[in-house]
Amino acid sequence: NSNPRGTKRGAFILLEGVDRCGKTTQVSLLVKHLLSLSLATVAYRFPDRTTQVGGLINNYLTTNGPTGSVDDRAIHLLFSANRWESAPKLASTLASGTNIVCDRYAYSGVAFTSAKVEEDRSSMSGGELTLQWCMGPDCGLPAPDCVIFLDLDQEEAEKRGGYGGERYEKRDLQIRVRKRFAELQALDKKDGRVPWHVVDASQSIEDVTKELVRIANETLERVDRESSPLR
Ligand code: DGP
Ligand code: NA
Ligand code: NA
């Protein structure tokens, strides 16, 4: 969509994946690359632990309290609130023509919360923490222009020096998280809205970056075409 000043909007490139897939490293490398081409680009990361809501989330993630001691729905809403508090900034950044490369977003929100229950339970009609229920609070957030999914299986993830000991860094949960991401990818494919690019995250850092650069170029070109005032 064109805007009054004829400025092309920025592209919103989202990186998602299980813990230890290398997202954080790749986000900073991709931002560096785009900046080196003089393309205005900023990195975002969720959860953003620097806000008040983010402080509550950080407390939750770094204390391994007994399961169920904090209500899973309440936490889910906090993660979503943490994205909503950045939403106006995300939108104005994109409108000003600056690209965003983002480390996790609403897909992580749905994948991690819904992974707390087994599939058979989560798909129960009226059951709690279904994908459907989990997607509700993030509905209407600025949408990414693509999802780059850094795919890494559990064994490879664990080879990367084990987990840091945060609440979700556990094998069974991470395996379910990866499955939930696949379900979300299938939903987006059905809708035909947000394109996904699955990248093998077990490759070397350089090879992953190469793929990301190619996908980013493709996405930037598409967004340029779509937001051209001449269209
Ligand atoms: P990170 O700082 O990227 O390592 O993320 C912290 C942990 O929180 C990680 O295990 C993924 C998880 N996470 C990220 N976003 C959400 C969310 O919206 N909801 C839930 N339940 N977990 C999330
Ligand atoms: Na983590
Ligand atoms: Na990370």
Side-chain angles (χ1 to χ4, degrees):
N1 301 333
S2 55
N3 70 39
R5 288 169 300 145
T7 317
K8 285 177 178 177
R9 71 169 176 88
F12 183 170
I13 296 168
L14 171 60
L15 271 71
E16 287 280 13
V18 297
D19 284 304
R20 299 234 140 211
C21 68
K23 270 183 297 66
T24 308
T25 305
Q26 293 295 338
V27 164
S28 68
L29 290 171
L30 183 56
V31 168
K32 222 188 255 174
H33 171 80
L34 295 173
L35 288 175
S36 77
L37 302 176
S38 300
L39 297 166
T41 306
V42 292
Y44 272 83
R45 163 174 209 174
F46 296 102
D48 174 0
R49 304 190 195 209
T50 66
T51 69
Q52 270 191 341
V53 172
L56 297 173
I57 291 171
N58 185 55
N59 268 345
Y60 172 76
L61 287 172
T62 54
T63 53
N64 266 301
T67 324
S69 66
V70 186
D71 188 85
D72 290 328
R73 295 153 216 80
I75 288 296
H76 183 75
L77 296 175
L78 280 186
F79 274 103
S80 180
N82 186 236
R83 288 182 282 274
W84 277 108
E85 58 186 353
S86 282
K89 190 79 192 300
L90 289 169
S92 65
T93 300
L94 295 171
S96 74
T98 298
N99 304 305
I100 290 173
V101 180
C102 191
D103 184 346
R104 295 194 188 283
Y105 200 52
Y107 295 93
S108 278
V110 177
F112 278 81
T113 297
S114 68
K116 292 176 179 183
V117 291
E118 304 288 342
E119 260 145 311
D120 50 352
R121 272 204 52 211
S122 75
S123 59
M124 260 171 24
S125 71
E128 294 168 337
L129 306 183
T130 58
L131 285 187
Q132 231 42 52
W133 185 89
C134 291
M135 289 191 298
D138 290 305
C139 218
L141 281 173
D145 292 300
C146 71
V147 177
I148 302 177
F149 186 70
L150 294 189
D151 195 27
L152 192 67
D153 71 32
Q154 191 51 28
E155 265 171 46
E156 289 294 327
E158 284 179 21
K159 275 190 214 154
R160 299 185 169 188
Y163 290 125
E166 284 206 338
R167 184 181 285 258
Y168 293 150
E169 299 184 342
K170 296 179 186 110
R171 176 176 301 176
D172 293 355
L173 180 74
Q174 297 282 331
I175 289 171
R176 286 202 298 273
V177 166
R178 185 161 173 242
K179 285 192 202 151
R180 296 298 196 271
F181 273 124
E183 290 173 45
L184 293 173
Q185 179 187 6
L187 285 179
D188 270 357
K189 194 167 179 191
K190 214 170 77 186
D191 283 358
R193 242 175 274 153
V194 184
W196 281 55
H197 305 268
V198 178
V199 172
D200 176 3
S202 70
Q203 304 175 87
S204 70
I205 291 180
E206 294 74 21
D207 286 345
V208 172
T209 307
K210 257 187 228 160
E211 284 204 42
L212 263 53
V213 164
R214 183 182 55 73
I215 296 163
N217 287 340
E218 191 186 300
T219 304
L220 260 54
E221 279 171 23
R222 175 167 50 85
V223 169
D224 268 5
R225 271 199 312 276
E226 288 173 1
S227 67
S228 162
L230 297 175
R231 201 165 88 106

